[in-house]
Each structure stands twice: as structure tokens, then as C-alpha cells.
Amino acid sequence: MKKLVFTVTNELNFDQRMQRICGTLQDNGYDVLLIGRENKKSPQLSPQIFKQKRLHCFFNKGFLFYGEYNIRLFFYLMSIRTDVYCAIDLDTILPVYFVSIFKNTKRVYDAHEYFTEQKEIVTRPLVHRVWLTIEKFAVPRFPKGYTVNQSLSHFFYQKYKVEYKVVRNLPKFYALEKVEKEDYIIYQGALNEGRGFETLIPAMQYVNKPLRIYGKGNFETKAKYIVKNLGLENKVFFMGNIAPEALNEATIKAFAGIMIVENTGLSLYYSLANKFFDYMMAEIPQICIGYPEYRTINDQYNFAYLIDNIEINTLTNSLNKLSNNIELYKELKENCSNSKKELNWEKESTILIDFYKNMDSK
């Protein structure tokens, strides 16, 4: 049985994409280990069919965290044997690279996003230079890899001449059972900079529905301040991180979803987020920013209401239109039901399985 090791810096319980990837590969005959972080507030690991390991760190953010985690990860990887090491994003790529060199082992890069183009990185010149140096050093040394959409695959080829496959963030298919709907709008995902909360929260003053935010991140304190400053404590609710199964239930019950990001870097402009497909699978219409990857898919399937910007008036008008235009809402909901038959992990995962099978044959 071939052994695969995947490395991330986040909390394993809430990483749906890695749970799908690791579970699928374990089901297809691989011995899979997923490595992530642990801190004082980490909940007990949820059981999975693949192996999991969390590395404890004293530091929780900034370069001290990344430095400590990378050192701990390097020595842990040196202590285990595997057939393939896979670095998830740039923040674990160095230890994976050096260990694979020392052990003469295959390595893979899984780029969830264009890491150096995140808002919290491009707006900080020193931080940006450091991560860009790591990217320029490491990515060309990972000729095998995959990313989440065709735009990012194209960028990696143009910049580093690496040809990465595309494995999209599609959810597992499930049929809806009868559920008692609740009249709220849902945002799920990282509560980070660049996700549009500066305009989404004020827009809720003029929308006759509550907003539930599922997730945590570096913008949470500021987001809560905006809510308090506007007196929206009884309308905008911070639900924190919850298990994927519970998040699915909350999404299915919602009236509509929110998929917005700011145009503050190529990572967000060319993103293709999990939630875009999660709302579709839950058969709820969504307000979605019309960036290239979202527009390409929606031009074909038409399950989201696309907007050109995320200004307060635009968000207010689009959310109220979904509420008031019954025919539009029904059309988008029906298109969700039809689209999920094609856009699901069961079909997309064949690309991932073929990728690792081809590695085995070389």
C-alpha cells in the first residue's frame, strides 16, 4: 500500500477539502496521513478513515508561528517514511521540499490559492517579499502538483513553467431530505481580510433577514466591532467554527448564501471557493461576486445571482431582490438541483485519483 503524507498549518477538524482528498485516496488503496497544527483551544480530533497528526506550537500567529511550525514539521517528516510528500500551500512547502531531497522521495504541491496574492500578504511589503522569495525558490522545484482552477494553473505555468492539474473544490453529492427552512442568510468560510465584511455587515441594516457567519479568522475582532457600532447584534450572528456535518445542516436550512471577496489581489480575484459549490449542493441560491472563475461556471449552470461589485447598495439591492423576486429565487434553486448532478466530488475526484496513479507508474 502506497503511503501519502499531506501537510497543512490549520486545524484539521474544519478543513473539508483535505478531508475529502485524504478520505478519497484512503478509499482508493493509499495509506494516508494528514498533518496539521494544534493549540490550546484545539478540539478533540474528529475520527476519519485516514491517519491524522497534530503538531503542538507555542506561537499561534505571524512569523514566529510559521518558523516554529516549519521546524517541527521538518523533524517530524524526517522521522516517518512515506512514498509521497504533499505540501498544501506555501506555508508548508519548505520542510516538504528539504525532507523529500534528503530522503529522495517524491513530492507534490497542492495550491489551494495564489498564496502570495492574499490581501494580508500583498498589503505588507516585508511579509510579501519573504513569501515571494519562498515561492520563487520552491514552486519551480515542485514540477508535479494541482490547484483549484484553470486560471491559477495558467499563472503557475506562466511564472514557473510547472504544469499543474486542476482539482476543483467540489462537495460530495447528497440528496436533500425534507428540512424545516429558516429565514436567514449564511456566510461560511474564513472570517479574514478581503472577504467583504466592511460592506456586507452595513448592508444588513437594509435587509429584512438575519445573517449568520460560520467561521473564524483574522478579521473577526474588526467584524464584531462593526456589528456593535451599527447596533446589529440582534441581526448579525457569529457562529464560529463548527464540524462540516453541522455546517451542511445549517447551510441547507438557510434562505440564501453569500460568496463575496474583494479584488485586492490575484488570489481572491481568481479564486474558486468551497462555499460557491457548497451553497449549490445545499440547493440554496447565493449572491456571488462575478469574478472570472465564478462567471465561467455560472454562465453554464446559472445557480448564483452574480454582482459586479460588493458595495453596500449592490449587496442590499441583490439580497432584497432574492427575497422579493419569487420567480428568480425558484429558478436559481431549481438550477442548483440540476447542477449538483454534474458538479460533485464523486466526478471531480477521478482527476485526483488518476494524478496519484500516474505518479505510481513513474
Side-chain angles (χ1 to χ4, degrees), residues 89-90 109-116 135 139 146-164:
D89 286 329
L90 211 59
Y109 185 42
D110 178 349
H112 284 192
E113 58 191 342
Y114 200 166
F115 193 91
T116 56
E135 179 185 279
V139 172
Y146 43 91
T147 187
V148 294
N149 63 54
Q150 195 59 51
S151 294
L152 293 186
S153 178
H154 176 73
F155 277 120
F156 282 117
Y157 180 76
Q158 289 293 105
K159 198 168 184 179
Y160 298 116
K161 303 304 178 189
V162 290
E163 297 187 47
Y164 288 169

Side-chain angles (χ1 to χ4, degrees), residues 105-230:
T105 306
K106 295 176 182 178
R107 59 183 176 272
V108 170
Y109 185 42
D110 178 349
H112 284 192
E113 58 191 342
Y114 200 166
F115 193 91
T116 56
E117 286 289 325
Q118 298 176 82
K119 180 180 179 180
E120 52 265 46
I121 291 178
V122 295
T123 56
R124 301 160 67 191
L126 177 60
V127 173
H128 186 234
R129 284 198 298 272
V130 171
W131 285 115
L132 197 56
T133 300
I134 294 172
E135 179 185 279
K136 289 179 178 178
F137 169 80
V139 172
R141 292 171 168 81
F142 280 73
K144 297 185 183 300
Y146 43 91
T147 187
V148 294
N149 63 54
Q150 195 59 51
S151 294
L152 293 186
S153 178
H154 176 73
F155 277 120
F156 282 117
Y157 180 76
Q158 289 293 105
K159 198 168 184 179
Y160 298 116
K161 303 304 178 189
V162 290
E163 297 187 47
Y164 288 169
K165 297 288 186 180
V166 174
V167 182
R168 295 174 297 180
N169 291 323
L170 300 184
K172 292 181 178 179
F173 179 87
Y174 59 85
L176 284 186
E177 299 179 357
K178 288 186 178 181
V179 63
E180 186 175 342
K181 300 287 285 188
E182 298 181 33
D183 202 28
Y184 60 84
I185 298 162
I186 187 171
Y187 170 92
Q188 57 163 271
L191 216 170
N192 287 344
E193 292 184 28
R195 267 61 175 183
F197 293 107
E198 295 97 326
T199 54
L200 174 60
I201 293 172
M204 294 308 300
Q205 297 174 98
Y206 315 106
V207 178
N208 192 28
K209 296 184 188 298
L211 170 67
R212 295 186 185 180
I213 299 172
Y214 288 86
K216 299 184 75 66
N218 57 33
F219 197 77
E220 184 173 357
T221 300
K222 291 183 180 178
K224 289 181 176 178
Y225 172 80
I226 297 172
V227 169
K228 184 176 181 180
N229 190 49
L230 295 174

Side-chain angles (χ1 to χ4, degrees), residues 95-106:
V96 167
Y97 170 70
F98 287 116
V99 170
S100 70
I101 290 295
F102 292 149
K103 293 193 169 188
N104 192 28
T105 306
K106 295 176 182 178

